[in-house]
Amino acid sequence: MLVWILFLLCQVGAPALAQDLCQRDAPNGYKVRISLKTALGEDAYEWNQSEMFFFQATMAFAMRRHFQMETYNVDNIILCVQTSRVSFWFVVTSPDNTTMLIPKADVEKAVRMSRHRINNAFLLSDRTLEFLGIYPTLAAPVNPDTPPWLIVFGVVIGAVCAGIIALLVSSLLQKRRKEKGMTEDGQDEEDMQVKGVENGINLDGTYNRGFTDDDRFTKL
Amino acid sequence: MKVSNQDLEERIPSYEELEKLENEEAGDRPKWDNKAQYMLTIVGFCVGLGNVWRFPYLCQSHGGGAFMIPFLILLVLEGVPLLHLEFAIGQRLRKGSVGVWSAIHPYLTGIGIGSMCVSFLVSLYYNTIMAWVMWYFFNSFQETLPWSQCPVNANMTGLVSECERSSPVDYYWYRETLNTTPDIDNTGGLQWWMVLCHVSAWALLFICISRGIETTGKAVYITSTLPYAVLTIFLIRGLTLKGSLNGVKFLFTPDMNELMNPTTWLDAGAQVFYSFSLAFGGLLSFSSYNSVHNNCEQDAVIISIVNGATAVYAATVIYTIIGFRATEKFDDCISGNILTLLNTFDLPEGNVTENNYDQVLHSLNGTNPEVIQGLNLKTCDLNSFLSEGVEGTGLAFIVFTEAITKMPVSPVWSVLFFIMLFCLGLSSMFGNIEGVLVPLQDLGVFPKSWPKEAIAGTTCVLCCLVGLIFVQGSGNYWLSLFDSYGGSIPLLIIAFCEMVGVVYLYGIDRFNDDIEFMIGHKPNLFWQITWRFVSPAIMFVIFVFYFITKVQETPMYKAWNPESENFPTLEEKEYPTWIFVIIFILAGIPGLSVPLTAIYKCLRNRCCKKDNEFKQDDLNTIAKQVHLTDEATKNKPDIPETADGR
């Protein structure tokens, strides 16, 4: 009979005790904030008791994963102070002694280790499932061996150099072609020039001396 | 009224000679392949970066739609007449800027030299902007654009502090691109990545100008048309984005009170003037390659219309994107505030939305005022986001790049935008370099035996080396210095002298006859009035006001100083005293070259009394050789007379 009364007292007292362990701003507890509408928009599911149970199970899993020896259970995760924002506080009790709380640092390590799994369980992300006080680790920057801009620069400067070489070669070829042409009928031109000065008035056209000096200019 | 001008006929080709040149196609002056090349080159020269990043800012800050009124009025009264004048005189005298002015009167050679100096100074810094555009272009070929997020700091604990305090785009521009020093005294050394881009910009320019208009004429088919295509693509994309119409409305909402403000009219006048690239000498040069009977009057009107329309079109496109960015920032700001409220008061999601935000805030302020104060909620104002830093390099490299990061498929838009900027700038550079190369050739600085490629190459190498000032740590400050002082006051002086020189020294009557010879009818009353009185008066007024404003204010510059108090805002600093020497060189030398050359020529004329020498001192240009040879063979008996007389 006494045992039965004691048992009844324990049943009533346990939640009360649990209530003392978990409270707002508990020294070993964390506040969790969930933004379902931001994350999922129209597909957002409703946050109810089943989801709370799922959370307890996920946290227990995270604790087990971190402390591989200990067997944590759903009862070891105590939740309180739920709001309609969807935010709540939780504390973790030790499986051996339900009155003893696991220190904050250990809980943090466990959460960090399984953060990705926890997020995925709820279809959320680091931003929409927040553990206030546990900051997400920043992704390591991806440093490619060659900066991409150097590659594009290389392509452009290669094209430019090719263009400059083509330009110089083509102008050299033109010069050579002109020189060949000049030596062939150089004699004729000199005669014409002389004629032009002497018979200026009678000649049909005036020879434009501008051109003879021009052979070293590029053809325009 | 006309000042006496001796020997003018000796120095310029007569109508008969012009007809001969035209019919026989003799003479070795380069020619345009077709009219389209000429028009595209001129359009490319006039339509530049200023249309994209100066005009929209002026429009928005001076009363939106109301700004169109002074802009259009001054376009008609100032822009078109000056443009027609430059086209006509270049086409008639068929020489570059130094050649034209020394032909009109040897004492006016200074105008040509001034144009050359200004073109040189502007080319130096303009190509550095091209280098910056190329840097951003090279970096656009990545999935996540590098200016969309802050880099992580050395020990991976958080973001780089300078970036966190300002913004990723600011950090990328000031630190990773420019690596700016806190003030102009620290040079900061050459930034190797910028040197590479700088060299590649000059190399690309060299390829395009190496043979003069033979190569630029081909290049402009792309560089002048591509910007229009890209602007259209951006317009279509922009109009489908949320908030774009806010931007367009903001741009064009007229505020008629601004018309009373004289600064509005001054800014409109200056914008018309700089937008047409007048007084650089490039327009004169390009026009001189035309056939003699080309209708320059029609060209001037068409170019002016195209330039004005492009400015308005570009402004619309830019502001659709600015409107989008401002709306995004506004939405982010409001969402941030809403989230803070929800978190603090543990209200369910969706309780506070944009619509009832003000109501809820008000009621919460009534119940828990201390809590609300402690939250430090940001004030979100759409108009302040719309008017943020939207001029010059700030527009292109900070505001627009930020807008692009918010658009889906950002790398594509980034590549398109920077290609457009590059083409706009490159086509303007063609004109600038033309204004440098042709006078150098005319002045005989380079030996006659050098081919065109060598001359272009030497000039490019020299400009590249001098331009290394702009790729140091403090390069940005030097560039704005050059921009404010080198590219403003001297141009106004030169343009004013140009007008006065043509109308009163060359003679407006002779000029009218020339135009009648070239295009078949005399210029009508509108041109007469604007050339003789209206345009010079406007130029004079703008010059005086600009001069007074610049001289009165202490020159200040805005520096990016991470240690300053209002950090993300740029710090206003005074220039050190040695900068005044530089300012004098930049603004004074081109401007003073007009009177100084005149005095120099006058003194030389006085002290060496032989008139023969006076004539032979004239520029020995190639076209002149043709003219002389013709004279020699045609009028042989007359030569002794012209040598002795006068």
Side-chain angles (χ1 to χ4, degrees):
Chain A
M1 174 74 176
L2 214 60
V3 176
W4 190 75
I5 295 172
L6 259 162
F7 178 68
L8 268 174
L9 274 169
C10 278
Q11 287 289 42
V12 173
L17 198 61
Q19 207 57 20
D20 289 335
L21 289 172
C22 173
Q23 48 189 316
R24 184 191 287 274
D25 298 323
N28 280 321
Y30 276 105
K31 181 169 181 182
V32 176
R33 186 153 54 210
I34 296 185
S35 315
L36 285 170
K37 291 228 181 78
T38 319
L40 303 166
E42 303 254 311
D43 303 327
Y45 48 82
E46 196 199 322
W47 190 262
N48 51 26
Q49 286 303 104
S50 317
E51 304 289 343
M52 296 294 277
F53 176 79
F54 190 19
F55 182 80
Q56 287 173 304
T58 321
M59 280 310 301
F61 160 75
M63 296 302 292
R64 280 198 192 201
R65 208 163 159 237
H66 181 64
F67 298 102
Q68 271 140 7
M69 290 298 117
E70 328 255 329
T71 45
Y72 285 86
N73 258 314
V74 179
D75 304 325
N76 295 122
I77 316 292
I78 309 174
L79 309 172
C80 56
V81 198
Q82 290 188 49
T83 65
S84 51
R85 168 69 179 80
V86 190
S87 69
F88 49 85
W89 284 82
F90 76 94
V91 290
V92 184
T93 58
S94 161
D96 308 317
N97 181 357
T98 43
T99 49
M100 201 181 77
L101 290 179
I102 304 289
K104 212 167 173 172
D106 292 331
V107 176
E108 179 174 343
K109 282 189 214 149
V111 169
R112 272 193 198 278
M113 190 177 180
S114 311
R115 188 66 188 263
H116 188 62
R117 299 290 297 273
I118 302 174
N119 286 347
N120 278 353
F122 291 96
L123 307 175
L124 299 172
S125 70
D126 281 350
R127 218 170 45 93
T128 40
L129 170 59
E130 297 167 79
F131 286 83
L132 298 189
I134 304 180
Y135 297 109
T137 42
L138 295 160
V142 178
N143 271 335
D145 296 322
T146 4
W149 75 267
L150 268 179
I151 301 175
V152 186
F153 168 74
V155 169
V156 169
I157 207 80
V160 166
C161 288
I164 293 181
I165 292 175
L167 198 79
L168 295 175
V169 165
S170 76
S171 55
L172 270 170
L173 284 176
Q174 271 182 349
K175 223 183 359 174
R176 220 169 279 165
R177 229 177 283 146
K178 212 174 187 174
E179 273 171 21
K180 253 195 226 162
M182 282 302 294
T183 47
E184 276 169 17
D185 41 28
Q187 278 298 80
D188 298 338
E189 285 185 353
E190 278 211 333
D191 288 335
M192 274 180 62
Q193 200 175 322
V194 168
K195 260 197 221 155
V197 169
E198 284 181 352
N199 311 327
I201 304 166
N202 295 335
L203 202 60
D204 286 341
T206 24
Y207 184 71
N208 193 339
R209 208 186 279 173
F211 274 177
T212 32
D213 292 338
D214 203 15
D215 65 341
R216 278 163 298 179
F217 280 87
T218 318
K219 192 169 178 205
L220 293 162
Chain B
M1 184 181 92
K2 194 184 134 158
V3 176
S4 76
N5 195 351
Q6 307 166 320
D7 297 341
L8 185 59
E9 272 94 24
E10 311 274 314
R11 298 192 295 268
I12 63 180
S14 69
Y15 292 167
E16 298 77 38
E17 280 145 23
L18 284 179
E19 286 287 7
K20 202 176 208 168
L21 278 175
E22 182 75 6
N23 296 332
E24 296 180 3
E25 304 207 341
D28 62 357
R29 197 151 186 85
K31 265 212 238 331
W32 297 107
D33 286 347
N34 51 47
K35 186 76 184 276
Q37 261 188 16
Y38 167 64
M39 293 301 270
L40 282 177
T41 310
I42 301 288
V43 165
F45 187 23
C46 294
V47 172
L49 293 173
N51 293 67
V52 165
W53 70 34
R54 177 86 179 135
F55 177 79
Y57 169 73
L58 284 176
C59 205
Q60 168 260 310
S61 62
H62 285 297
F67 185 73
M68 296 295 165
I69 298 176
F71 183 70
L72 286 172
I73 292 180
L74 288 170
L75 187 99
V76 168
L77 291 180
E78 180 198 354
V80 182
L82 273 170
L83 201 64
H84 188 194
L85 188 116
E86 286 214 3
F87 283 165
I89 202 77
Q91 196 171 298
R92 168 69 180 91
L93 297 181
R94 317 195 71 70
K95 288 183 188 152
S97 61
V98 168
V100 161
W101 299 110
S102 64
I104 292 185
H105 198 288
Y107 289 0
L108 290 184
T109 319
I111 300 183
I113 294 183
S115 287
M116 180 182 75
C117 290
V118 173
S119 289
F120 175 68
L121 290 174
V122 172
S123 304
L124 282 180
Y125 76 77
Y126 209 83
N127 225 31
T128 310
I129 302 182
M130 293 294 99
W132 292 342
V133 170
M134 285 185 97
W135 165 255
Y136 269 79
F137 174 72
F138 293 152
N139 277 289
S140 306
F141 288 92
Q142 298 173 46
E143 238 187 283
T144 28
L145 296 172
W147 53 85
S148 57
Q149 59 205 25
C150 277
V152 178
N153 66 13
N155 34 7
M156 308 258 265
T157 49
L159 305 170
V160 173
S161 125
E162 189 181 347
C163 184
E164 235 182 323
R165 286 185 290 155
S166 54
S167 74
V169 271
D170 280 317
Y171 177 76
Y172 191 77
W173 170 238
Y174 287 109
R175 188 55 51 213
E176 299 211 18
T177 307
L178 299 174
N179 201 8
T180 347
T181 52
D183 51 53
I184 200 170
D185 293 309
N186 300 0
T187 53
L190 293 174
Q191 314 300 321
W192 68 269
W193 58 94
M194 272 289 116
V195 174
L196 287 180
C197 295
H198 181 80
V199 167
S200 51
W202 278 105
L204 240 165
L205 183 71
F206 168 66
I207 290 191
C208 293
I209 60 164
S210 48
R211 290 205 195 136
I213 63 170
E214 188 186 332
T215 39
T216 59
K218 310 280 186 308
V220 288
Y221 283 121
I222 301 176
T223 60
S224 294
T225 50
L226 190 70
Y228 288 97
V230 175
L231 276 175
T232 314
I233 296 176
F234 263 99
L235 181 70
I236 299 174
R237 171 75 264 213
L239 286 174
T240 56
L241 292 170
K242 178 187 177 204
S244 51
L245 292 173
N246 291 343
V248 179
K249 254 188 281 176
F250 183 70
L251 173 71
F252 287 123
T253 317
D255 176 12
M256 289 298 174
N257 297 328
E258 282 286 337
L259 292 181
M260 300 299 143
N261 186 0
T263 337
T264 310
W265 291 85
L266 267 173
D267 279 342
Q271 175 61 16
V272 167
F273 180 69
Y274 296 130
S275 167
F276 278 104
S277 310
L278 296 162
F280 276 84
L283 289 173
L284 269 173
S285 257
F286 285 143
S287 173
S288 70
Y289 303 133
N290 268 330
S291 84
V292 177
H293 294 294
N294 175 51
N295 192 343
C296 51
E297 183 184 19
Q298 197 186 54
D299 291 344
V301 173
I302 292 179
I303 299 284
S304 313
I305 294 176
V306 169
N307 198 10
T310 310
V312 175
Y313 187 52
T316 317
V317 174
I318 296 285
Y319 265 81
T320 53
I321 307 290
I322 301 265
F324 160 69
R325 168 188 175 268
T327 313
E328 280 273 315
K329 281 198 115 155
F330 177 71
D331 285 345
D332 283 343
C333 182
I334 293 267
S335 316
N337 284 354
I338 290 178
L339 196 66
T340 321
L341 280 181
L342 287 178
N343 290 349
T344 326
F345 292 98
D346 281 323
L347 304 165
E349 278 182 292
N351 237 16
V352 188
T353 61
E354 284 174 19
N355 304 334
N356 60 7
Y357 171 73
D358 293 312
Q359 282 172 281
V360 173
L361 183 63
H362 189 72
S363 65
L364 284 175
N365 211 4
T367 51
N368 312 49
E370 333 77 43
V371 183
I372 297 283
Q373 298 288 23
L375 286 178
N376 285 335
L377 292 173
K378 290 183 264 183
T379 29
C380 304
D381 174 29
L382 188 61
N383 279 351
S384 71
F385 286 128
L386 280 169
S387 35
E388 269 181 354
V390 285
E391 178 191 24
T393 49
L395 171 66
F397 299 115
I398 298 180
V399 169
F400 214 84
T401 44
E402 189 175 16
I404 288 180
T405 56
K406 299 191 200 287
M407 291 159 71
V409 205
S410 330
V412 171
W413 302 111
S414 181
V415 166
L416 273 178
F417 178 64
F418 288 111
I419 282 189
M420 176 185 83
L421 284 188
F422 189 73
C423 286
L424 281 172
L426 192 67
S427 49
S428 299
M429 274 305 289
F430 293 156
N432 289 335
I433 284 286
E434 176 81 11
V436 174
L437 281 182
V438 174
L440 283 179
Q441 285 176 307
D442 282 348
L443 285 173
V445 170
F446 292 103
K448 290 259 187 296
S449 57
W450 281 26
K452 278 188 159 194
E453 289 93 341
I455 299 177
T458 322
T459 317
C460 284
V461 167
L462 185 72
C463 288
C464 187
L465 289 174
V466 177
L468 287 177
I469 331 170
F470 303 113
V471 291
Q472 302 168 346
S474 53
N476 190 24
Y477 307 135
W478 283 96
L479 199 135
S480 29
L481 184 72
F482 269 63
D483 191 23
S484 347
Y485 294 102
S488 56
I489 304 241
L491 284 171
L492 292 165
I493 300 177
I494 293 171
F496 181 74
C497 294
E498 277 188 8
M499 282 215 112
V500 167
V502 168
V503 172
Y504 298 110
L505 267 170
Y506 184 73
I508 189 78
D509 303 310
R510 180 188 291 272
F511 192 55
N512 286 336
D513 291 334
D514 288 342
I515 294 184
E516 190 178 15
F517 167 69
M518 291 195 292
I519 65 179
H521 61 265
K522 260 202 166 132
N524 60 29
L525 190 62
F526 167 74
W527 302 111
Q528 304 301 326
I529 298 180
T530 46
W531 282 333
R532 284 184 222 223
F533 313 115
V534 178
S535 300
I538 296 180
M539 303 263 33
F540 186 69
V541 167
I542 295 181
F543 168 66
V544 164
F545 271 98
Y546 238 74
F547 191 70
I548 293 180
T549 343
K550 282 266 158 91
V551 161
Q552 271 184 344
E553 64 187 23
T554 25
M556 306 267 266
Y557 66 104
K558 296 212 173 110
W560 175 261
N561 186 4
E563 264 108 61
S564 81
E565 289 170 354
N566 320 328
F567 170 47
T569 336
L570 297 170
E571 192 188 354
E572 290 245 6
K573 283 194 172 156
E574 267 190 48
Y575 278 116
T577 27
W578 54 268
I579 284 284
F580 288 96
V581 178
I582 310 275
I583 293 182
F584 178 72
I585 295 178
L586 289 175
I589 291 192
L592 289 176
S593 66
V594 181
L596 285 179
T597 324
I599 296 175
Y600 168 72
K601 290 253 171 186
C602 189
L603 290 176
R604 222 159 71 137
N605 190 26
R606 291 280 166 77
C607 78
C608 320
K609 287 273 181 177
K610 302 176 208 168
D611 283 343
N612 271 349
E613 266 193 6
F614 181 91
K615 257 190 71 181
Q616 273 158 29
D617 267 345
D618 276 352
L619 295 171
N620 211 1
T621 60
I622 310 299
K624 194 160 162 32
Q625 276 187 349
V626 175
H627 167 78
L628 271 179
T629 320
D630 278 343
E631 291 280 54
T633 51
K634 243 192 341 195
N635 311 321
K636 205 170 160 201
D638 288 340
I639 286 182
E641 278 182 30
T642 53
D644 294 344
R646 290 140 253 188

